[in-house]
């Protein structure tokens, strides 16, 4: 587990500031959701954390170590993309093993770690299966196994359920939440769906136009919104 801290983090695309002076603390083992409408800066934020984008200003710290200038492969962060980003020419085992091979682990260690990860996501019998023969939910679980097999300090989930149909989404969300709590990995979950955020999170950070509007437990945002944007976005409400 690791503690994540963002200090005055900003990122600008041309004249557009996608993330604006974002400061946030995520405790070890916490599941925090970045919630907000499309274009509010959620995905930009986790890409800054992962090292896929460089901050215009500000810092990203893990366990009080500034990692802002480290390349992605040096950050020990697992990431699950919205599209899953699996390699279609590799089978399930090879997909999950990819990060371990890149880190130079021996074949024996890779086999043991991959088998453990596939067992965690209930895919232990699928190691030779081609990924294009898997359902959407199964592909999502392979993507999660690939992210956690490297034993990351931090797990980033970028709308991992958005490609699933409604009936499968709820089931997979429950399985994913149970797995993360079992692993006790500090997790950042990105969604625009407040129902998902409420069901999945310890705390929620609500963003609008790259600015943090409010952070707190679901009940706090619902019953004690700090402004009209939060009140209008979180549930159905009357504004007095």
């Amino acid at each position: 587990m690791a503690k994540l801290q963002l200090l005055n983090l900003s990122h600008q695309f041309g004249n557009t500031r996608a993330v604006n002076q974002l400061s946030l603390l995520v405790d070890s083992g916490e599941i925090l959701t970045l919630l907000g409408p499309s274009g509010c800066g959620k995905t930009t934020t986790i890409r800054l954390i992962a090292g896929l984008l460089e901050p215009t200003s500000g810092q990203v710290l893990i366990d009080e170590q500034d990692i802002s200038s480290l390349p992605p492969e040096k950050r020990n962060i697992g990431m699950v993309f919205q599209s899953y980003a699996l390699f279609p020419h590799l089978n399930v085992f090879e997909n999950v093993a990819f990060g371990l091979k890149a880190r130079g682990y021996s074949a024996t260690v890779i086999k043991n770690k991959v088998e453990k990860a596939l067992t965690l996501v209930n895919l232990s019998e699928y190691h030779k299966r081609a990924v294009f023969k898997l359902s959407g939910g199964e592909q999502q679980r392979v993507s999660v196994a690939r992210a956690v097999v490297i034993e990351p300090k931090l797990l980033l989930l970028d709308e991992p359920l958005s490609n699933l149909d409604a009936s499968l989404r709820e089931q997979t969300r429950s399985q994913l939440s149970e797995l993360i709590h079992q692993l006790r990995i500090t997790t950042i979950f990105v969604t625009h769906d407040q129902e998902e955020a409420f069901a999945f999170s310890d705390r929620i950070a609500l963003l609008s136009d790259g600015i943090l509007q409010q952070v707190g437990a679901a009940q706090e945002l619902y019953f004690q919104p700090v402004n009209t944007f939060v009140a209008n976005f979180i549930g159905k409400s009357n504004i007095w």
Side-chain angles (χ1 to χ4, degrees):
M1 293 189 292
K3 181 174 70 174
L4 171 70
Q5 191 171 11
L6 309 180
L7 294 177
N8 299 316
L9 193 65
S10 296
H11 185 78
Q12 197 154 327
F13 296 103
N15 294 324
T16 302
R17 181 157 286 197
V19 177
N20 191 357
Q21 297 290 306
L22 175 59
S23 292
L24 193 61
L25 178 65
V26 185
D27 289 328
S28 295
E30 183 179 19
I31 300 176
L32 181 130
T33 291
L34 295 178
L35 175 66
S38 297
C40 72
K42 306 183 300 292
T43 294
T44 301
T45 299
I46 64 166
R47 287 179 175 271
L48 289 167
I49 296 168
L52 301 176
L53 291 173
E54 292 185 10
T56 304
S57 61
Q59 296 173 292
V60 178
L61 292 86
I62 292 183
D63 290 335
E64 300 183 356
Q65 177 189 358
D66 187 354
I67 63 165
S68 306
S69 60
L70 288 180
E73 65 273 14
K74 299 291 186 182
R75 298 192 180 200
N76 194 22
I77 292 174
M79 187 164 180
V80 177
F81 296 90
Q82 182 177 350
S83 63
Y84 312 141
L86 299 176
F87 303 110
H89 62 292
L90 302 180
N91 64 28
V92 168
F93 182 96
E94 292 165 337
N95 264 279
V96 178
F98 186 85
L100 297 173
K101 288 182 178 179
R103 286 164 171 79
Y105 284 96
S106 69
T108 301
V109 171
I110 290 173
K111 182 175 183 295
N112 291 336
K113 286 181 177 290
V114 171
E115 287 179 351
K116 180 180 177 182
L118 289 177
T119 299
L120 281 171
V121 297
N122 297 315
L123 291 176
S124 56
E125 305 299 321
Y126 285 63
H127 60 286
K128 292 184 179 180
R129 188 80 55 94
V131 293
F132 61 83
K133 293 184 178 180
L134 302 177
S135 68
E138 289 165 347
Q139 289 186 42
Q140 190 259 9
R141 283 186 279 157
V142 173
S143 184
V144 171
R146 185 179 61 184
V148 302
V149 75
I150 61 171
E151 299 177 0
K153 288 185 174 182
L154 188 68
L155 181 62
L156 307 177
L157 305 172
D158 187 9
E159 303 215 34
L161 308 177
S162 61
N163 289 333
L164 304 179
D165 60 54
S167 60
L168 185 58
R169 187 180 306 153
E170 185 173 347
Q171 175 189 349
T172 307
R173 181 178 67 206
S174 176
Q175 292 172 340
L176 184 58
S177 177
E178 182 179 346
L179 172 63
I180 291 171
H181 279 102
Q182 180 182 348
L183 294 172
R184 300 180 67 197
I185 297 177
T186 307
T187 301
I188 310 294
F189 180 76
V190 166
T191 184
H192 62 273
D193 186 324
Q194 59 178 276
E195 182 182 343
E196 278 186 6
F198 279 31
F200 202 83
S201 320
D202 297 318
R203 288 190 304 149
I204 297 167
L206 182 59
L207 301 177
S208 175
D209 296 325
I211 298 172
L212 179 63
Q213 301 295 319
Q214 188 172 354
V215 60
Q219 285 190 331
E220 184 181 344
L221 270 66
Y222 189 88
F223 290 110
Q224 298 175 308
V226 298
N227 56 37
T228 54
F229 172 81
V230 177
N232 283 316
F233 193 86
I234 301 294
K236 296 178 181 179
S237 58
N238 293 320
I239 307 300
W240 293 87

